[in-house]
Amino acid sequence: MLLLRRRGVLASCCATAIAALSLTAFSPAGSTAQDTAPAAGRTAAAGAPAADGRTVPDTPPGVLEALRRDLGLTAAEAEARLANERAAAPVEAALRRALGDRFGGAWAAGPTAVLTVATTDRGAVRAIETAGARPVVVDRSLKELTATKAALDRAAHRKAPGAAPVWYVDVTSNSVVVRSPEPGAAAAFVAASGADREAVRVVRSDESPRPYYDVRGGEAYYINGRSRCSVGFSVTRGTQGGFVTAGHCGRPGDSVTGHNQQPMGSFQGSSFPGNDYAWVAVNSNWTPRPWVKGPGGANVVVRGSTQAPVGSSVCRSGSTTGWHCGTIQQHNTSVTYPQGTITGVTRTNVCAEPGDSGGSFISGDQAQGMTSGGSGNCRSGGTTYYQPVNEALSVYGLSLVTEGGGDPEPPAGCQDSKEKYTGDLTSGQNVYQPNGSYYETTASGTHRGCLDGPDGVDFDLYLQKWNGSAWTTVAESTSEGPDESVDHNGTAGRYRYRVHAYDGSGAYTLGVIRP
C-alpha cells in the first residue's frame, strides 16, 4: 500500500485509487484525433473526447482574433482552446497531487489544447483517462527532471556558462534541454555540473537572449528621463498603488514618468540578475486598474494570477510592438544574459523587441508575468522569457489588482470580521498573518479565521499559538479546495495564522475575528 500524503487518505498504487482521489472528469471541447501530440515516452492510447460546446465567457473579440492570427487557428479552434485551457487547470492540479512522485508533467497539446499528463507509472493510465486527460508513460518524473535542472542552476551560479545561455525542463520530451551555439562547450558545462547527463539534451541554437532595456509592457513609462520600459500589472500594498515590471528596468529610488511624460512615481524594489522583477509606487494622480492594453487598445481584464500549464496560449502587451500571442514552452527556465544568470523564468514563442521589457504576459484573464528578455523580433519571430508575477507579489507583499474593484470578501463565516489581510501565494509557499507577525489577546474567547482563495487551487489555513518556546498549531482546516475556516476557543496569549498554498497559485483574502 502507498500512503498518499494528503488528508490522511490511504490509496494503493493502482489506477482506480488515483481516480477515486482525484476529481470529476471533463471532456475537452472541440478535440479531434488530430489533436494528439504526445512527445517523448511510451504513449498510451486514448480516444479523442467529443466536443461539448463550452465557450469562455467575456472573451474580447480581439483576443480570439489574435490567437487565430498568431497560432494559425480557426475561429472554432480558438474558442475550444480557451475553453479547454480554463477547464484543464483543476484537472492538472488534482492529478499532480494524486500521482505525487510519479507525476511526469503536463502540457496542452494540439490546436485545441487537449490536456496531456505524463506519469512514470503505467498503472496510472486509466485514472488519467478517467479524469479527462491524455496519458503518456515516461521514464523520468518531474521531480527527477527538476533535480537535474537544479544541478545546472547551481553550476551556473558558481560560474555563468557563456556557451549555454538557456536551459529548461521540457516535459514534452521528458528531458532537460540545453540550448547553445556551441554544443561541445555546452556538453562540457553539463558534465562539470554533476547533473544526470542521460536526462539532458543539448540542442544547437543561435539564440542569444538579452534584456530589453529600452521598452516594455502594456503602457510605456520612462526611467530617470533616459530609458523606457512597460507596465506589467497593477498592484497595491496596503493603500499604496503601483505596478510590477522587470527588475532590469530600474533600481530603488529611480524616478518614473508615465506614457504621457507626467510624473508617475519611483522604484521601491528591484532584483536583477538572479531574478528579473521590480515594483514601482505611483503617486495619487495615477489609479491602478485591472487591465492590460490589448489588441487595438482595448482593455483585457485581469481576474487572477493562476499559472497556466505548458502548451497554453499566452499573449504579451508591450509599448514597442503592442499585442502578440503564442504558447508557453517551458516553465522554470534559466537564462544567462550578459549581466548574469536569472532562474525561474518562463520560455515562450511570443515575439518581442527592445522597449517591451516589463510588459504584461497574460493567459485568458490570468496574469502570468512580466517580459524579461529574449531573441528575435516581431517581423521574423522570436523567443521571449517572462518573470512569473506571483513571485514578485510574494516577495514585496503586493496584491494584484483584479476585476471587481478590490479584494474578494471573506467567506460567510467571517463576514463580520473587522480585520482583513490579503496577499498572493505561489504553490508550496507559506505566509503568516497578521503581516508576517502575530497578535496578542489578554482574554479568553473565540478565534475565527476564514480564507478565500481563487478557484482551482488548494490552500490551507492553520491557527498557531506561542507556547513559550515554539509555535504550535491549535486549529487547522485542510480541505481540497481554495476556501478554509477555523474556529478555536482559546486562552489569552500570542496567536498567528499560517496560510499555505498546498497546490496552485493566486490571490487570497483572510478575514479574522478575535476576542
Side-chain angles (χ1 to χ4, degrees):
M1 297 290 287
L2 173 68
L3 179 63
L4 295 184
R5 174 198 178 280
R6 194 64 172 152
R7 319 301 182 208
V9 179
L10 276 174
S12 70
C13 295
C14 68
T16 53
I18 297 175
L21 258 179
S22 54
L23 53 139
T24 303
F26 86 99
S27 296
S31 58
T32 68
Q34 287 73 33
D35 286 334
T36 306
R42 304 175 295 279
T43 307
D52 65 0
R54 279 195 304 268
T55 59
V56 179
D58 302 325
T59 301
V63 172
L64 289 172
E65 181 57 36
L67 288 175
R68 290 174 60 190
R69 179 196 68 208
D70 293 342
L71 301 185
L73 304 177
T74 66
E77 286 172 338
E79 291 181 0
R81 185 180 188 93
L82 290 176
N84 286 341
E85 290 170 354
R86 180 178 290 261
V91 178
E92 187 270 346
L95 286 174
R96 178 192 291 262
R97 184 166 55 246
L99 290 168
D101 288 348
R102 296 166 294 162
F103 179 72
W107 62 92
T112 57
V114 174
L115 179 63
T116 302
V117 174
T119 179
T120 57
D121 180 10
R122 185 174 292 278
V125 165
R126 185 176 296 276
I128 294 172
E129 292 175 331
T130 300
R134 288 182 173 158
V136 176
V137 182
V138 295
D139 293 325
R140 304 176 189 89
S141 68
L142 182 59
K143 182 178 180 180
E144 292 171 319
L145 294 174
T146 301
T148 298
K149 178 184 173 293
L152 299 178
D153 290 345
R154 288 191 296 271
H157 285 303
R158 292 191 295 269
K159 182 179 180 181
V166 177
W167 59 95
Y168 49 80
V169 171
D170 182 14
V171 294
T172 65
S173 67
N174 195 231
S175 66
V176 175
V177 174
V178 177
R179 301 178 70 87
S180 172
E182 304 175 47
F189 162 66
V190 173
S193 73
D196 179 7
R197 283 184 280 181
E198 294 296 319
V200 179
R201 293 190 303 121
V202 176
V203 177
R204 183 174 185 83
S205 169
D206 293 328
E207 187 176 343
S208 181
R210 65 193 187 282
Y212 293 123
Y213 283 101
D214 298 331
V215 103
R216 210 51 109 100
E219 293 282 6
Y221 69 93
Y222 300 86
I223 306 95
N224 295 331
R226 295 192 299 268
S227 57
R228 171 172 59 93
C229 277
S230 304
V231 174
F233 296 96
S234 296
V235 297
T236 58
R237 185 176 181 178
T239 59
Q240 175 63 59
F243 61 87
V244 287
T245 186
H248 71 259
C249 288
R251 291 289 179 262
D254 286 348
S255 63
V256 171
T257 55
H259 62 87
N260 54 5
Q261 301 291 338
Q262 295 300 305
M264 191 176 192
S266 62
F267 278 80
Q268 303 299 299
S270 176
S271 179
F272 178 83
N275 306 292
D276 197 5
Y277 52 69
W279 88 280
V280 173
V282 298
N283 61 43
S284 60
N285 292 328
W286 296 80
T287 302
R289 301 289 190 186
W291 303 328
V292 170
K293 186 176 181 180
N299 290 327
V300 176
V301 173
V302 178
R303 290 191 171 90
S305 58
T306 299
Q307 177 178 280
V310 169
S312 299
S313 57
V314 67
C315 296
R316 179 195 58 73
S317 182
S319 59
T320 297
T321 59
W323 181 266
H324 288 273
C325 299
T327 58
I328 295 171
Q329 305 293 291
Q330 289 87 22
H331 291 304
N332 194 17
T333 298
S334 298
V335 178
T336 298
Y337 295 132
Q339 297 81 5
T341 296
I342 61 173
T343 60
V345 294
T346 294
R347 184 173 186 264
T348 76
N349 61 6
V350 185
C351 71
E353 296 181 11
D356 289 327
S357 287
S360 322
F361 266 87
I362 187 168
S363 182
D365 56 13
Q366 298 297 304
Q368 298 298 306
M370 297 80 71
T371 305
S372 172
S375 57
N377 54 57
C378 288
R379 296 177 298 280
S380 58
T383 298
T384 302
Y385 301 87
Y386 65 77
Q387 164 72 52
V389 65
N390 285 330
E391 183 179 1
L393 298 177
S394 175
V395 167
Y396 295 126
L398 305 171
S399 295
L400 187 69
V401 176
T402 57
E403 174 76 352
D407 302 305
E409 287 300 316
C414 293
Q415 290 290 1
D416 295 333
S417 63
K418 296 181 179 179
E419 296 179 56
K420 187 172 70 170
Y421 304 97
T422 62
D424 287 83
L425 288 170
T426 56
S427 186
Q429 182 190 4
N430 293 296
V431 296
Y432 295 93
Q433 296 290 6
N435 301 318
S437 185
Y438 62 88
Y439 64 89
E440 189 166 4
T441 62
T442 57
S444 298
T446 299
H447 301 253
R448 178 175 299 141
C450 299
L451 177 67
D452 184 20
D455 292 341
V457 305
D458 185 358
F459 286 178
D460 298 329
L461 182 62
Y462 303 83
L463 177 64
Q464 298 180 329
K465 185 180 181 183
W466 182 252
N467 66 8
S469 60
W471 289 100
T472 59
T473 298
V474 294
E476 65 181 63
S477 180
T478 58
S479 69
E480 294 189 9
D483 302 335
E484 308 288 354
S485 62
V486 296
D487 280 276
H488 175 70
N489 191 12
T491 57
R494 296 177 178 179
Y495 292 85
R496 71 179 184 181
Y497 286 93
R498 172 189 168 212
V499 185
H500 174 60
Y502 180 78
D503 191 81
S505 304
Y508 71 90
T509 297
L510 174 66
V512 172
I513 297 175
R514 57 182 177 176

